Amino acid sequence: MIQRIQTLYLIVVILLGAVVPFFVNLWSDARGNEIFAENAVFVSIAFYAVAVLGLLGIVLYKNRQNQFVVNRLNIILNLFLLGFFVYRSLNLSGETIVSEKGIGMLIPVFSIVFLVLANRAIKKDEDLVKSVDRLR
């Protein structure tokens, strides 16, 4: 349902996962070549998985518990992706010239923030429904 705020947060996560990584560079190597998500197969698959889990979270709007669990799985996937980026940036193989890190390495951080905001809104909706059930 588009009128709920968590749906808007999940749409931002979908855009961050499916669109943004292919337009901003993740890092630049020692020769100055910019590496985008489409140049690394694992990274592009992980970003598409983030987008698909975000879409699945939107589709599961009727079952808030499952929506909450899917968002948590998406947070875990983003943490793995962030860990890969940190490992990649710290484990430079014998470069004498330091390669540059791109803004695309921060995409999982932004996705995690929006997923946490979505989970907070889902929890708020669930608490509201439980409080109304007590009044009946």
Side-chain angles (χ1 to χ4, degrees):
M1 298 182 75
I2 198 71
Q3 71 260 23
R4 291 171 38 194
I5 189 69
Q6 60 262 31
T7 305
L8 296 177
Y9 292 144
L10 291 173
I11 287 173
V12 171
V13 169
I14 291 170
L15 290 176
L16 283 173
V19 177
V20 175
F22 301 99
F23 291 111
V24 295
N25 65 333
L26 300 175
W27 62 80
S28 299
D29 60 2
R31 288 177 259 143
N33 298 331
E34 292 182 341
I35 307 297
F36 292 93
E38 64 227 11
N39 299 359
V41 176
F42 168 74
V43 174
S44 64
I45 289 172
F47 276 127
Y48 280 134
V50 166
V52 167
L53 284 176
L55 184 64
L56 187 62
I58 291 175
V59 172
L60 292 173
Y61 67 90
K62 289 184 180 180
N63 192 343
R64 286 177 294 279
Q65 293 297 329
N66 286 345
Q67 190 179 27
F68 196 78
V69 169
V70 166
N71 286 345
R72 282 194 176 177
L73 289 174
N74 205 347
I75 289 172
I76 292 170
L77 179 62
N78 275 305
L79 286 173
F80 280 126
L81 195 57
L82 184 63
F84 172 75
F85 287 150
V86 168
Y87 173 77
R88 171 69 180 93
S89 67
L90 293 177
N91 194 11
L92 300 175
S93 59
E95 292 183 14
T96 57
I97 302 172
V98 178
S99 61
E100 294 182 21
K101 284 74 175 168
I103 192 72
M105 290 184 126
L106 293 177
I107 292 173
V109 174
F110 296 132
S111 293
I112 290 170
V113 168
F114 282 109
L115 286 166
V116 167
L117 289 173
N119 275 350
R120 185 175 290 167
I122 292 167
K123 179 88 167 104
K124 185 177 172 183
D125 281 353
E126 188 66 28
D127 291 342
L128 181 67
V129 168
K130 285 181 181 178
S131 70
V132 170
D133 285 343
R134 279 187 227 132
L135 294 176
R136 285 189 212 169

